[in-house]
Amino acid sequence: MTMTTVRFFAAARAAVGTDEVAVDVDAMDVASLDAALAGVEAADPERWSALVERCSYLVDGVSTRDRSTSLVGVGTVDVMPPFAGG
């Protein structure tokens, strides 16, 4: 079993209702970021589905907005919603 930790920040954390989830990459038909995000059981599904379109992601520290990115061999994904500040 290959697990990837998906961590949520700011508005993403609020929509999902938790700081992080563990995703079994081996159990996915397609081990992609999009498949992992689609499998998240959010506390506020409507807010989460709207937000996921606007987020950027750090996949093992590398920034991407491409949700077709493979999660094979990936340890951590950070879900970063747009936010103001510095």
Side-chain angles (χ1 to χ4, degrees):
M1 180 169 17
T2 305
M3 301 301 285
T4 297
T5 300
V6 181
R7 303 186 303 186
F8 305 97
F9 297 89
R13 181 182 321 147
V16 172
T18 190
D19 291 338
E20 65 182 45
V21 296
V23 176
D24 182 358
V25 175
D26 295 335
M28 290 190 220
D29 290 334
V30 178
S32 68
L33 177 56
D34 196 46
L37 297 171
V40 169
E41 294 184 25
D44 185 343
E46 187 175 321
R47 184 175 178 192
W48 171 240
S49 65
L51 187 61
V52 79
E53 300 294 325
R54 300 186 346 249
C55 288
S56 59
Y57 306 93
L58 294 178
V59 178
D60 277 345
V62 177
S63 180
T64 187
R65 292 185 56 82
D66 181 3
R67 293 195 317 269
S68 68
T69 299
S70 173
L71 295 185
V72 174
V74 171
T76 306
V77 173
D78 294 328
V79 179
M80 310 294 290
F83 54 91

